[in-house]
Amino acid sequence: MTTHGRNAILVINAGSSSLKFSVFREAVSGDVVVAVNGQISGIGTEPRFEAKDTAKRLLADRSWAASEQADRKTLLRFLLDWIEEHLDGARLIAAGHRVVHGGVRFSHPVLLTDAVMEELDGLVPLAPLHQPHNLAAIRALAEAHPELPQVACFDTAFHRGQPWQSGAFAIPRELTEEGIRRYGFHGLSYEFIARRLPEIAPALGDARVVVAHLGSGASMCAMHGGRSVDSTMGFTALDGLPMGTRCGTIDPGVLIYLMRNKGMSADAIEKLLYNRSGLLGVSGVSNDMRVLLESGDAHAEEAVELFCFRIARETGALAASMGGIDAFVFTAGIGERSAPIRERVGARLGWLGIDIDPAANAANETTISSPASRIPVHVIPTDEERMIAVHTRNALAAKR
Ligand code: ADP
């Protein structure tokens, strides 16, 4: 590992059985630069640790047998020891975590204390599939390395400044006040795009931009002047666009029907809507867009078409939220790499004056709209990890 700067920052994105990590170093310019990426998979069964440098060369690969019962704390201690050994004299100054839910209160990243952790525990019911794993990693790291400052960076925070009507459901007010409201997610990705876009297109600093984050989880954001105005994800990360295995927007009457007429429990509905729906459910083939595009199967084609249709429909809604649209941005796995999807979405948005340049689109260029297009269409690779590293460094600097 080459670590030119003095300080290093560990970025963690923890899931149920895996934990992705990156190590950033602080460059002399004050910028943060990624040095290592890796993951610990198989947590709870047979863990495996892998680390790669920025050229994707394998730096480490180690496994634990089930009999070794390596728990989160053991694995995180191993990770920290490994990082310290590979830092070339730099010092690990903090860990930054992606935390899915910051509720109503956290509109910025926060330095973690016991009191903050207690508040974040209280948000577990709002994101039961993600929040507990995010918090477990923070606690395990605190046990393994108590003196290392830790910072929580929230997927919800970027959307906290939205106008109230973007966040409200039309339900009795006391339920809204209890927290049953729209939060929006993928905020770290949108924040990264908000900062990157003016570098690519300075004229768009104050613009009304629709950003489509199309990965295995997918959402869209209406951004005006770099701030979130509206988003397609709501109370949970289930709302909005159809995703790899998640249904996206659904008539709530369907849930009542499933409970009453099919006797489905909350757990069964949760599995259906999170794991068996979306592209997988509609196609019956795969949740992976690459597989669907190459499949030739009629249902796979319908899944792709539904995905593109809903992106176009949401674009209309988000543009209405901002009173217009000045630019469109594609990002994340599908948005950054799939020319056919961008082409199909672009064709559906012809009524907005969008015109995609086929050659630029096929080459994944930064600007894929033609000169004749009424508004520019950009492809911008997102970098949530980098955003977390920047926030973590800033939160620490603010403390000093
Ligand atoms: P995550 O939401 O898990 O962070 P990513 O943003 O990395 O996911 O996106 C992963 C998804 O991107 C994959 O499930 C796959 O469907 C899609 N994808 C990646 N590369 C391509 C490609 N070249 N063409 C179409 N889809 C792609």
Side-chain angles (χ1 to χ4, degrees):
M1 191 193 299
T2 47
T3 50
H4 302 307
R6 226 164 20 90
N7 296 329
I9 294 161
L10 170 62
V11 170
I12 289 182
N13 183 356
S16 57
S17 64
S18 72
L19 179 155
K20 290 186 193 145
F21 69 88
S22 309
V23 181
F24 284 77
R25 65 167 198 261
E26 220 174 357
V28 183
S29 62
D31 205 2
V32 294
V33 186
V34 68
V36 175
N37 289 301
Q39 66 168 353
I40 303 172
S41 51
I43 297 173
T45 50
E46 295 184 356
R48 179 171 179 188
F49 171 89
E50 284 169 285
K52 291 181 179 165
D53 66 13
T54 47
K56 300 210 183 320
R57 281 186 301 251
L58 197 63
L59 300 173
D61 186 355
R62 137 127 222 224
S63 301
W64 288 259
S67 59
E68 290 179 79
Q69 297 193 336
D71 61 6
R72 266 198 181 77
K73 182 175 151 193
T74 311
L75 296 167
L76 283 165
R77 185 167 285 149
F78 177 88
L79 169 63
L80 289 174
D81 289 346
W82 185 88
I83 290 170
E84 299 270 333
E85 275 169 31
H86 291 76
L87 276 179
D88 283 354
R91 193 172 61 96
L92 194 61
I93 55 163
H97 294 260
R98 179 175 182 182
V99 176
V100 68
H101 223 301
V104 179
R105 189 161 99 77
F106 293 108
S107 54
H108 295 284
V110 62
L111 201 63
L112 287 159
T113 60
D114 288 347
V116 172
M117 284 300 282
E118 228 172 87
E119 271 192 69
L120 298 182
D121 276 335
L123 298 172
V124 163
L126 299 187
L129 301 184
H130 296 99
Q131 190 91 340
H133 308 301
N134 303 155
L135 301 186
I138 294 167
R139 291 212 159 89
L141 191 58
E143 281 182 38
H145 205 319
E147 64 286 358
L148 188 70
Q150 299 196 68
V151 175
C153 303
F154 304 102
D155 269 319
T156 49
F158 184 65
H159 302 295
R160 290 300 304 121
Q162 287 179 356
W164 80 269
Q165 65 270 24
S166 299
F169 291 121
I171 54 175
R173 194 168 277 274
E174 61 271 20
L175 291 174
T176 308
E177 282 161 10
E178 209 180 277
I180 304 179
R181 59 189 311 291
R182 304 184 74 250
Y183 292 94
F185 298 88
H186 287 139
L188 292 158
S189 172
Y190 293 125
E191 192 179 3
F192 179 85
I193 300 295
R195 292 185 184 205
R196 186 82 184 96
L197 186 60
E199 292 169 8
I200 291 167
L204 294 179
D206 295 324
R208 296 163 299 183
V209 186
V210 169
V211 184
H213 174 110
L214 310 177
S216 52
S219 73
M220 296 169 69
C221 179
M223 247 162 46
H224 193 172
R227 297 163 75 106
S228 173
V229 172
D230 198 358
S231 50
T232 61
M233 277 181 172
F235 179 57
T236 65
L238 203 52
D239 204 2
L241 298 177
M243 310 174 213
T245 61
R246 289 177 243 165
C247 61
T249 301
I250 190 168
D251 176 349
V254 173
L255 277 63
I256 299 168
Y257 177 89
L258 292 175
M259 285 189 278
R260 187 174 289 148
N261 294 69
K262 290 193 172 285
M264 288 179 78
S265 65
D267 284 354
I269 292 177
E270 185 174 73
K271 283 203 180 71
L272 174 76
L273 301 183
Y274 274 94
N275 302 327
R276 289 171 44 215
S277 297
L279 297 176
L280 176 66
V282 176
S283 69
V285 174
S286 173
N287 61 344
D288 191 318
M289 188 55 86
R290 284 163 293 200
V291 175
L292 298 182
L293 286 168
E294 283 166 17
S295 145
D297 180 280
H299 290 170
E301 169 53 26
E302 281 183 355
V304 173
E305 202 46 41
L306 182 57
F307 186 69
C308 297
F309 163 76
R310 293 277 289 275
I311 294 167
R313 201 172 71 158
E314 293 288 356
T315 304
L318 295 173
S321 295
M322 296 185 287
I325 174 171
D326 305 310
F328 189 101
V329 174
F330 285 101
T331 191
I334 299 170
E336 290 166 27
R337 290 188 279 272
S338 183
I341 295 298
R342 293 191 303 250
E343 184 188 322
R344 289 166 78 152
V345 171
R348 283 187 173 275
L349 296 177
W351 66 275
L352 272 175
I354 282 180
D355 185 47
I356 302 292
D357 175 333
N361 187 34
N364 292 326
E365 280 179 19
T366 305
T367 303
I368 60 167
S369 45
S370 77
S373 190
R374 191 185 69 80
I375 62 169
V377 179
H378 296 296
V379 176
I380 304 179
T382 193
D383 195 344
E384 290 151 300
E385 286 76 20
R386 195 174 132 74
M387 207 60 244
I388 295 170
V390 168
H391 280 314
T392 303
R393 183 201 55 193
N394 293 350
L396 218 63
K399 182 193 151 207
R400 281 195 201 118

